[in-house]
Structures are given as C-alpha cells and as structure tokens.
C-alpha cells in the first residue's frame, strides 16, 4: 500500500524522466495540459506507464476527468485501495 | 538541412492594393468562391462522390478514387481563386508531392486555403478533420467518402492514421494547429504531427508555404476578400526519414519533443531567411 507522498514521488519521476518536465514545475495543483504541456497522446503514454508502475489496470474512463497532478494522485490512490 | 531548393528566393512582384470601385469585382469574386465551395461540396457529395464511392472495387480503390476526384475539384477551385484574384500560387518544383505515398506532409499555415492548395498538388491526400466539420452538411459527405480522419481521441487517432498511411494516402498536418497569427512567423508547433510520424514509423515531407502579404488569415473576416492578391509559393524540403527517430534511443514521448523542436526550428529559420512581408495595408 502506497501513501499519497509516494504516489506523488512516483508520478514526478515519470513526468521528469519521460516527458522532459522540470521537477520544480510539478505541484499538486499544476494542470497537466496547460502548465505541464502534456498532450492527449502523452496522456495515453502516462496511463500505460502508471499501469506498469502500479501493476493495476486503469480504465480510460477513470482518466477522462483528470486535469491536475492531484487528480492523478487521487485516481492512483483510489486504484490502490481496490 | 535546407527546406528551399535555391538559396536566393525571390518574391514575385507584389500585386496592387485595390481600393474604391476597383475592389467591387474582387469582393464579388471572393464571395462567389465561398458560395461555389459550399455548393460544390454539397452537390458533389450528392452526385459524383457517391458514384465513385459505390462503384465496385476494394475499399482502398474506392477511397483513392474519391481522393483523386477531390484533388481535381480543388485544382479547379485554385483556378477559380486565381481567376478572381484572391491568390496566385507558384509551385514549380512540386513533383515530390505528386509522387509521395504514405507520407506525413506537414506545412505552415498562413491562409484559409492552404489545404486546398496542398490537395490540388497531391492526388492521394488525407487529412485529420475536427469534429465540428463532420457535422457540417456541406462537407460531411466529402470528408467521409475521401477517407478523412475524425479526431476521436489519441488512441483511435493513431490507429486511424496508421491505417490510412498503410493504404499509401499522404496525411496533411499543420503542426501550427491553426492559421498563423498575423504578425508572427509561425505559431508554436503542437507535437501531434511528430507523435503520429514516430508512432506510425512514417517519413515526414516538409512543405513551406510563403505568402507575400497577409490575406485569408484567421484575423480577417471571410466577407472581406484580400484587396491585394496573395502571392503564395510552395516549396518542398528534404524528407525526414523515419529511421532517424531511433537515433536517440529514447521514449516516443521524448522523441516527439525533440522532433517537434527540430521541425519548428527548420520552419522559423526558413521563414526568417526569406525577405520580410511587404506592408499588408495600402502603400
């Protein structure tokens, strides 16, 4: 079981390593598409990466409403509880 | 690498700026172009396009037929745009576009009619078309029978693109996303074109559209056709080979960023290297 800090750490690592995002730009309220400049294809890659890291299957619908870093953390936290 | 063939690009002579009575025939001609485009789209989707679409043949053959018909219709439309004085296209070395198969053709996007000019030069062209146009009754018939791609979200989009490219259709993409904002060289590039190229392992053929005055831009209303005929030159650069995408041994997402930067740089250098735009208002 992972807590929110660990999830955020994991997410930050993915965003920095895979998407050239600066670690200092990443905060809970940062929006993925505007401030972090992800596009829809990146979002697909991010979901795949998160699935690999968590070992959980992520349904695309669960990710549709995700807008900010915090939304991702919440979604992953929800998955880990199931 | 250089996008242009010759080092010393020379603008054609600029056209006069029409005022007063002289603008009236231009205005009528310009508005007629819109009318003809709309009616042509509607009529052809009710007549010739269904015939071509349902005439026997494999799915690819039928789509290729419609694409060729659209190519000839757009050639005719470019003739009309030239006749009414909206634009003068100079495309002397564009055989590479006519010969291209299953490539991603990218271009900068200075005017409303860029896609019309490109399709008039490419017999087997496809495009990604935004959802709102699929609901437009004048356009819908053409779009679907020519095998154009609706943007249905990232995953489906990549699959659709792969299929269209496999059928050797050339996919036209404007990385600027929308028409160039007047007064800037190019808009920042979105990564879609690079992403699609990388994930479908497709070569990119870069096309530079250079205009001598701002006309048919997003900032000007459609009912004000350009007072000064827009000289548009079409130049084709060396293709980006898909094998280059593997050089950096990095993730697709990162490579898309690298490639997009490279493409954006190429275009901004080429456009800056050309003589500056002449004044867009009267002299």
């Amino acid at each position: 079981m992972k807590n929110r800090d660990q999830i955020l750490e994991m997410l930050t690592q993915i965003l920095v390593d895979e998407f050239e995002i600066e670690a200092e730009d990443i905060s809970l309220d940062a929006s993925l598409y505007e401030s972090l400049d992800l596009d829809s294809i990146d979002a697909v890659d991010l979901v795949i990466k998160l699935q690999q890291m968590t070992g959980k299957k992520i349904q695309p619908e669960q990710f549709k409403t995700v807008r900010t870093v915090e939304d991702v953390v919440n979604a992953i936290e929800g998955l880990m509880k199931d | 690498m250089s996008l242009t063939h010759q080092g010393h690009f020379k603008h054609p002579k600029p056209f006069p700026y029409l005022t007063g009575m002289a603008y009236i025939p231009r205005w009528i001609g310009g508005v007629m172009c819109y009318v003809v485009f709309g009616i042509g789209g509607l009529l052809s989707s009710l007549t010739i396009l269904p015939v071509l679409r349902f005439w026997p043949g494999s799915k690819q053959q039928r789509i290729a037929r419609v694409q060729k018909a659209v190519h000839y219709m757009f050639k005719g439309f470019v003739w009309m745009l030239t006749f009414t004085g909206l634009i003068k296209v100079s495309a002397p070395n564009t055989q590479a576009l006519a010969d291209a198969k299953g490539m991603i053709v990218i271009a900068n996007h200075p005017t409303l009619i860029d896609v019309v000019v490109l399709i008039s030069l490419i017999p087997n062209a496809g495009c990604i078309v935004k959802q709102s146009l699929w609901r437009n009754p004048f356009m819908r018939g053409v779009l679907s029978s020519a095998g154009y791609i609706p943007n249905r979200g990232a995953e489906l989009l990549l699959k659709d693109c792969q299929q269209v490219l496999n059928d050797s259709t050339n996919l036209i993409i404007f990385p600027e996303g929308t028409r160039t904002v007047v007064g800037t060289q190019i808009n920042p590039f979105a990564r879609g074109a690079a992403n699609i190229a990388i994930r479908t392992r497709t070569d990119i053929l870069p096309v530079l559209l250079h205009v001598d005055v701002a006309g048919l831009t997003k900032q000007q209303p459609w009912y004000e056709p350009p007072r000064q005929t827009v000289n548009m030159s079409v130049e084709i650069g060396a293709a980006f080979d898909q094998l280059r995408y593997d050089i950096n041994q990095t993730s697709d997402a990162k490579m898309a960023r690298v490639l997009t930067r490279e493409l954006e740089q190429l275009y901004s250098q080429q456009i800056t290297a050309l003589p500056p735009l002449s004044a867009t208002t009267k002299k």
Side-chain angles (χ1 to χ4, degrees), chain A residues 16-21 36-42 44-45 48 60, chain B residues 153-155 157-158 191-192 195-196 199 251-254 257-258 261:
Chain A
V16 171
D17 292 351
E18 299 288 321
F19 300 101
E20 291 188 350
I21 292 166
L36 303 185
D37 189 35
L38 293 188
D39 64 20
S40 56
I41 297 179
D42 291 330
V44 175
D45 286 352
I48 293 171
Chain B
E155 265 174 301
L157 179 68
L158 285 174
R191 293 186 298 270
N195 260 320
I196 294 168
R199 288 153 204 263
S251 70
D252 287 348
K254 265 193 184 163
R257 285 163 166 78
V258 174
R261 274 198 291 272

Side-chain angles (χ1 to χ4, degrees), chain B residues 157-278:
Chain B
L157 179 68
L158 285 174
K159 263 190 210 135
D160 290 343
C161 289
Q162 180 78 72
Q163 199 201 336
V164 162
L165 292 163
N166 286 348
D167 293 341
S168 67
T169 291
N170 300 299
L171 209 48
I172 299 172
I173 303 180
F174 298 102
E176 287 182 84
T178 184
R179 273 174 278 167
T180 314
V181 174
V182 175
T184 58
Q185 304 278 16
I186 46 169
N187 302 333
F189 277 18
R191 293 186 298 270
N195 260 320
I196 294 168
I198 289 166
R199 288 153 204 263
T200 60
R201 325 280 335 149
T202 307
D203 298 350
I204 296 178
L205 190 59
V207 174
L208 182 73
L209 301 175
H210 189 70
V211 292
D212 66 341
V213 288
L216 301 163
T217 64
K218 196 149 191 153
Q219 280 73 40
Q220 294 154 315
W222 68 271
Y223 49 82
E224 273 176 34
R227 289 170 178 270
Q228 194 174 347
T229 304
V230 178
N231 269 309
M232 178 187 279
S233 73
V234 184
E235 310 223 10
I236 301 169
F240 275 65
D241 194 299
Q242 52 106 351
L243 293 173
R244 292 181 51 197
Y245 309 154
D246 288 328
I247 289 172
N248 294 1
Q249 298 278 320
T250 175
S251 70
D252 287 348
K254 265 193 184 163
M255 190 58 216
R257 285 163 166 78
V258 174
L259 184 57
T260 301
R261 274 198 291 272
E262 223 174 293
L263 293 172
E264 195 176 328
Q265 226 165 31
L266 175 72
Y267 273 87
S268 57
Q269 277 166 4
Q270 290 295 329
I271 293 176
T272 316
L274 291 167
L277 275 183
S278 58

Side-chain angles (χ1 to χ4, degrees), chain B residues 62 115 191:
Chain B
R62 285 182 285 168
V115 76
R191 293 186 298 270

Side-chain angles (χ1 to χ4, degrees), chain B residues 111-132:
Chain B
T111 78
L112 179 64
I113 51 147
D114 299 338
V115 76
V116 175
V117 170
L118 287 174
I119 293 178
S120 80
L121 299 169
I122 307 173
N124 50 337
C127 320
I128 299 164
V129 183
K130 58 183 169 194
Q131 291 283 355
S132 62

Side-chain angles (χ1 to χ4, degrees), chain A residues 10-34:
Chain A
M10 174 186 78
L11 179 61
T12 303
Q13 193 202 328
I14 296 174
L15 291 173
V16 171
D17 292 351
E18 299 288 321
F19 300 101
E20 291 188 350
I21 292 166
E22 303 287 335
E24 63 261 30
D25 293 341
I26 301 169
S27 61
L28 280 176
D29 59 353
S31 90
L32 298 176
Y33 300 106
E34 279 119 54

